[in-house]
Amino acid sequence: MVKGLAGTGLATSAVGSASGAGSDRSGGDDDALTLVAAAGVENAMEVVADDEYAYVATGRGMAIVDWEDPNEPDVVADIEASDPEAIGGDDRGATGGVLDVKVDDDLAIMAHDDGTGITTVDVSDPSDPEELAFYHTLDAVGVHNAFLTDETVYMTISGDRMIQDDAGVGVRIFGNAGVEIVDVEDPRRPERAATWYLHEALPDYADAGINPNHDLYEQDGFLYNAFWDAGVVVLDVDEPTDPSFVTQFGAAPDGDEELRPWRPREESRSEFFDAAFPSERYSAGEGNTHYVQPSPDGEYVYVGDEKFPGQVQENPPTEAFGGIRIFRTEELDDDGKQHVERVGYISPPDAEGLRTAHNFDVTDDYLHASWYNGGVRRYDVTDPSNPKAAGVYNPDGQSFWTAVASDDYTLGGIYGAGSDAHEGGVAILSSDD
């Protein structure tokens, strides 16, 4: 889902590719992913797996599904996020709009896109989760997505930045986009470790007004950030209290084109967006870096582009939607640079409705991807320069927010708000291989 704009009313070399492989529906295709069972979770969005439990963002909070028996998944908990003052920690700010959850061992977090931070949750007993504390972001902005590992939370932040120039007071839209890092060694007392802003390393992209930090993924001391038209920005977070810029790749050609500041003394925010904001480019331009994840060995990085061409044209062709770009990344050299080359591409599927890349998961041999109305699809990426379709589950009337690998299964997050025939939940899928 694209990062919202509150108050608005609103790489080209020849590479290997995999087709979305048709408008086929599941059930009888040799390459089908087969539905084992599904657990209903109203308004389900992001899904993450940890052993035999799946943790589901519900907007209002988090549900937990026990799928130890894949044939009989059971919703064992469903909590609504409490107000900050009710659970200790930082009692400022607000909760709401939980689009993302993450889990690591006995700790889970809920990220508040419509609020101003995260909630830490004890899930040592998944059937009885306990909210521990609320953490309020430095700039009092929402957290669209987050990543939890090794007692550290990495959070996307995408606030505006006030400026003063010869023309007076102005506001750079998304001018304070970046990442906030939180130490949760004591999850009842989360503490800010660092905040890093895009304008520190790439000021032209920060001034473009179109580059929020949409999602992020940490692996082996590197933090990969999806900065929309600024592409992927990689930070060294080996020391979380001192993040540093490493490299950038996959940016749109005009991703650093400056957007004039909003002048609040002269125009309302909505007037500014009507007059100046490049909404068509933001929705369906040549960029829209939405999700990023490296391969387990770190040699490749998969970059999903989320595009909404239906907002700017009627009956857009399949190629107008966003696919998944594949980059080869080498080890850091002595100059601290990373050599990056685009080597592959996965096209959006030829399906009906919204069929752009959304969230996905990468294993040693497969990429498990969600495409909204394009279903859940699996790809063989043993040769990332030549990805091959290796399974599809795409029932009529359903939309999918995410796909994650767990054991020998694929878990599909059924997006209730985007589905005509399902309230939302977790689909447990298997394949023959």
Side-chain angles (χ1 to χ4, degrees), residues 252-268:
D254 52 359
D256 59 352
E257 182 177 313
E258 182 180 3
L259 176 68
R260 73 167 177 86
W262 166 39
R263 303 292 179 181
R265 293 177 179 174
E266 302 171 8
E267 58 190 343
S268 69

Side-chain angles (χ1 to χ4, degrees), residues 138-139 154-159 174-182 192-203 205-206 211-213 216 223-227 230-237 239-248:
L138 180 66
D139 295 335
Y154 301 90
M155 308 183 303
T156 63
I157 54 173
S158 297
F174 296 139
N176 269 352
V179 56
E180 191 153 329
I181 305 174
V182 182
R192 186 176 72 90
T195 303
W196 184 91
Y197 296 110
L198 184 65
H199 64 72
E200 296 177 18
L202 300 166
Y205 285 93
N211 297 320
N213 190 358
L216 32 69
L223 185 67
Y224 301 83
N225 300 266
F227 270 100
V232 177
V233 175
V234 184
L235 302 181
D236 183 339
V237 291
E239 177 48 67
T241 60
D242 187 25
S244 60
F245 175 77
V246 176
T247 194
Q248 173 201 29

Side-chain angles (χ1 to χ4, degrees), residues 217-306:
Y217 196 99
E218 191 276 340
Q219 180 174 293
D220 297 332
F222 291 108
L223 185 67
Y224 301 83
N225 300 266
F227 270 100
W228 215 245
D229 280 7
V232 177
V233 175
V234 184
L235 302 181
D236 183 339
V237 291
D238 196 50
E239 177 48 67
T241 60
D242 187 25
S244 60
F245 175 77
V246 176
T247 194
Q248 173 201 29
F249 59 89
D254 52 359
D256 59 352
E257 182 177 313
E258 182 180 3
L259 176 68
R260 73 167 177 86
W262 166 39
R263 303 292 179 181
R265 293 177 179 174
E266 302 171 8
E267 58 190 343
S268 69
R269 188 177 176 92
S270 61
E271 288 173 337
F272 164 79
F273 274 91
D274 288 343
F277 190 78
S279 56
E280 182 172 333
R281 180 160 67 93
Y282 186 69
S283 298
E286 189 183 343
N288 297 44
T289 297
H290 167 273
Y291 185 75
V292 57
Q293 185 176 337
S295 59
D297 60 12
E299 293 184 4
Y300 295 89
V301 174
Y302 296 78
V303 180
D305 300 329
E306 185 182 39

Side-chain angles (χ1 to χ4, degrees), residues 53-385:
Y53 293 95
Y55 298 78
V56 186
T58 63
R60 65 190 181 280
M62 177 177 68
I64 302 175
V65 177
D66 180 346
W67 66 286
E68 183 176 12
D69 181 352
N71 295 287
E72 295 185 1
D74 182 30
V75 179
V76 296
D78 192 344
I79 64 172
E80 182 173 347
S82 300
D83 291 336
E85 61 270 18
I87 55 174
D90 196 321
D91 60 1
R92 297 172 295 167
T95 59
V98 178
L99 310 184
D100 190 28
V101 297
K102 291 294 186 289
V103 64
D104 188 33
D105 293 329
D106 292 339
L107 181 65
I109 58 169
M110 298 184 287
H112 300 282
D113 189 51
D114 293 339
T116 59
I118 60 168
T119 299
T120 57
V121 186
D122 180 349
V123 291
S124 55
D125 179 357
S127 66
D128 187 23
E130 177 191 1
E131 293 177 285
L132 299 176
F134 178 81
Y135 174 84
H136 180 68
T137 54
L138 180 66
D139 295 335
V141 294
V143 178
H144 196 61
N145 286 294
F147 193 88
L148 169 63
T149 184
D150 296 332
E151 300 178 333
T152 304
V153 180
Y154 301 90
M155 308 183 303
T156 63
I157 54 173
S158 297
D160 300 337
R161 185 172 84 255
M162 298 289 296
I163 64 168
Q164 178 75 48
D165 57 18
D166 292 342
V169 174
V171 177
R172 290 288 187 189
I173 303 301
F174 296 139
N176 269 352
V179 56
E180 191 153 329
I181 305 174
V182 182
D183 182 342
V184 289
E185 181 178 9
D186 181 353
R188 293 185 182 276
R189 295 175 177 80
E191 296 183 355
R192 186 176 72 90
T195 303
W196 184 91
Y197 296 110
L198 184 65
H199 64 72
E200 296 177 18
L202 300 166
D204 290 347
Y205 285 93
D207 289 349
I210 199 171
N211 297 320
N213 190 358
H214 191 277
D215 214 330
L216 32 69
Y217 196 99
E218 191 276 340
Q219 180 174 293
D220 297 332
F222 291 108
L223 185 67
Y224 301 83
N225 300 266
F227 270 100
W228 215 245
D229 280 7
V232 177
V233 175
V234 184
L235 302 181
D236 183 339
V237 291
D238 196 50
E239 177 48 67
T241 60
D242 187 25
S244 60
F245 175 77
V246 176
T247 194
Q248 173 201 29
F249 59 89
D254 52 359
D256 59 352
E257 182 177 313
E258 182 180 3
L259 176 68
R260 73 167 177 86
W262 166 39
R263 303 292 179 181
R265 293 177 179 174
E266 302 171 8
E267 58 190 343
S268 69
R269 188 177 176 92
S270 61
E271 288 173 337
F272 164 79
F273 274 91
D274 288 343
F277 190 78
S279 56
E280 182 172 333
R281 180 160 67 93
Y282 186 69
S283 298
E286 189 183 343
N288 297 44
T289 297
H290 167 273
Y291 185 75
V292 57
Q293 185 176 337
S295 59
D297 60 12
E299 293 184 4
Y300 295 89
V301 174
Y302 296 78
V303 180
D305 300 329
E306 185 182 39
K307 301 185 181 184
F308 300 90
Q311 295 185 6
V312 299
Q313 61 177 303
E314 292 186 10
N315 301 315
T318 292
E319 58 267 24
F321 292 87
I324 300 172
R325 294 175 285 164
I326 307 171
F327 294 84
R328 180 169 58 216
T329 56
E330 298 178 2
E331 295 294 328
L332 296 178
D333 62 24
D334 292 338
D335 296 325
K337 300 296 183 181
Q338 207 172 32
H339 301 290
V340 179
E341 175 189 11
R342 179 174 154 180
V343 298
Y345 183 69
I346 298 173
S347 303
D350 185 13
E352 298 178 359
L354 178 60
R355 50 198 184 273
T356 187
H358 204 238
N359 296 347
F360 52 80
D361 194 17
V362 185
T363 64
D364 288 330
D365 297 326
Y366 293 100
L367 181 142
H368 308 250
S370 64
W371 300 87
Y372 286 112
N373 299 123
V376 172
R377 294 172 186 259
R378 192 179 68 152
Y379 303 87
D380 183 333
V381 291
T382 50
D383 178 2
S385 67

Side-chain angles (χ1 to χ4, degrees), residues 35 37-44 393 395-400 412-427:
L35 178 67
V41 177
E42 185 177 358
N43 200 38
Y393 176 72
D396 287 320
Q398 293 188 24
S399 177
F400 291 86
I414 306 170
Y415 179 34
S419 301
D420 296 328
H422 205 290
E423 67 176 4
V426 181

